[in-house]
Amino acid sequence: MAKIIDGKTISMEIKEEVKEQMEKLRQEGKKAALAVIQVGADPASSVYVNNKKKVCAYVGIESLAYELPEETTEEELLALIGKLNGMEECNGILVQLPLPGHINEDKVIDAIDPRKDVDGFHTKNVGALCVGQRAFLPCTPAGIIQLLVRSGIEMEGKECVIVGRSNIVGKPMALLMLRENATVTIAHSRTKNLKELCKRADILIVAMGKPKFIGREYVKEGAVVIDVGIHRNENNKLCGDVDFEDVKDLCSAITPVPGGVGPMTIAMLMKNVHEAVSSAATENGR
């Protein structure tokens, strides 16, 4: 039976650390505030936004909530971001994705001041990550690194296969694993011989968006499997991209869905907000 990597427990450890750090900043007379912008009333987005507000309150970060109607224009959204960029009391800006189809997401993300881009999506932060400079890290990939580190899983020298090449998970995940001295391969929808490729992996990270796609025929015995996917199955229960029951007795460690990668994303967001307000981040002028 594989070791179950407990994202709930590890994310709580990080939130407690951030809470303690925020208390120290408050004693120094510093405050933190995160602006969360939601355009429209997508139910999943509303759940995520409410979760972020709750965690902000828990760790001692003020929430500035901007819930805008679906018909908000791109110009109106960009104007709000410009206003928040100039607000000294706002340390981080997060625009909940996806946005309505009439708004250009790339344009919106790049309108955020890179020093307040706590999602780590701005091209300046992505570029800094690429060349090994200090940057805000995208929250889900950074959370996966913490899951591995805090579970005592060695990455250096290991063969890592990442299934998925999105800008939010796949690409930055590859860069972070390279930084940990893993040997990295990115696979995607056009990859040939996917089973054979995945079966080589010491660490298999799956972010492909297909429920229960990865079964035991994709997994090497003793591999570590990280499942980034989240879906509802035919019984309306949450499941991931990996068929957990099929592979759990084959691998050495695995993340469950729910309770694996998911809780880490908001925890790492809080870590980024703390970094934005801390003196170290200010001195580095990001």
Side-chain angles (χ1 to χ4, degrees):
M1 177 66 182
K3 173 183 178 179
I4 307 300
I5 299 174
D6 186 351
K8 286 183 180 177
T9 298
I10 295 172
S11 69
M12 184 53 72
E13 287 174 8
I14 292 169
K15 285 184 278 192
E16 291 296 339
E17 290 165 8
V18 173
K19 187 177 182 180
E20 191 175 312
Q21 290 162 341
M22 290 310 307
E23 181 56 37
K24 287 178 183 175
L25 287 177
R26 269 196 300 280
Q27 289 171 6
E28 296 168 9
K30 297 175 185 174
K31 294 180 180 178
L34 171 65
V36 181
I37 304 170
Q38 180 182 359
V39 183
D42 176 74
S45 292
S46 297
V47 170
Y48 292 139
V49 167
N50 286 333
N51 287 341
K52 285 164 188 169
K53 288 179 189 173
K54 286 176 187 173
V55 178
C56 277
Y58 181 76
V59 301
I61 294 169
E62 184 185 354
S63 285
L64 306 173
Y66 296 88
E67 292 162 2
L68 309 179
E70 182 90 17
E71 58 272 16
T72 299
T73 66
E74 186 176 285
E75 292 71 24
E76 288 169 333
L77 179 55
L78 292 173
L80 173 58
I81 291 169
K83 177 185 169 187
L84 292 169
N85 283 340
M87 282 174 54
E88 194 175 329
E89 62 270 30
C90 171
N91 308 103
I93 302 169
L94 183 152
V95 178
Q96 184 65 43
L97 303 177
L99 289 167
H102 64 278
I103 298 176
N104 184 318
E105 287 186 357
D106 292 337
K107 193 172 177 181
V108 167
I109 289 165
D110 271 357
I112 298 170
D113 184 332
R115 294 169 298 178
K116 298 186 179 187
D117 168 42
V118 289
D119 258 337
F121 294 162
H122 192 285
T123 49
K124 282 192 176 180
N125 281 319
V126 174
L129 173 60
C130 283
V131 297
Q133 294 178 0
R134 190 180 175 94
F136 287 119
L137 303 179
C139 299
T140 300
I144 291 168
I145 295 292
Q146 287 299 310
L147 283 177
L148 294 169
V149 168
R150 293 178 188 235
S151 299
I153 294 166
E154 184 67 44
M155 289 171 270
E156 184 166 342
K158 297 298 177 67
E159 185 154 4
C160 174
V161 174
I162 299 165
V163 187
R165 55 177 167 177
S166 71
N167 292 334
I168 293 172
V169 179
K171 291 175 188 174
M173 191 74 249
L175 292 167
L176 290 179
M177 291 302 291
L178 284 171
R179 197 169 74 172
E180 299 293 331
N181 298 315
T183 300
V184 180
T185 303
I186 300 179
H188 46 77
S189 59
R190 302 294 178 88
T191 298
K192 294 179 180 177
N193 303 318
L194 182 61
K195 286 181 186 176
E196 291 82 354
L197 184 64
C198 290
K199 220 166 171 65
R200 283 183 5 212
D202 301 308
I203 301 173
L204 179 61
I205 301 172
V206 188
M208 63 191 307
K210 292 185 178 180
K212 294 188 178 183
F213 184 88
I214 298 294
R216 63 189 299 112
E217 67 273 19
Y218 288 83
V219 178
K220 178 171 79 172
E221 188 171 356
V224 174
V225 177
I226 305 294
D227 189 352
V228 186
I230 186 158
H231 314 276
R232 293 274 178 188
N233 66 15
E234 60 279 5
N235 300 317
N236 204 36
K237 289 187 176 179
L238 290 172
C239 66
D241 290 348
V242 176
D243 189 335
F244 183 88
E245 293 299 325
D246 194 39
V247 307
K248 67 180 182 182
D249 61 342
L250 190 61
C251 45
S252 61
I254 187 169
T255 57
V257 177
V261 173
M264 297 299 295
T265 301
I266 295 180
M268 299 310 293
L269 174 65
M270 298 301 109
K271 199 171 176 68
N272 278 350
V273 176
H274 167 261
E275 196 174 332
V277 75
S278 69
S279 57
T282 305
E283 286 166 8
N284 277 282
R286 293 191 295 111

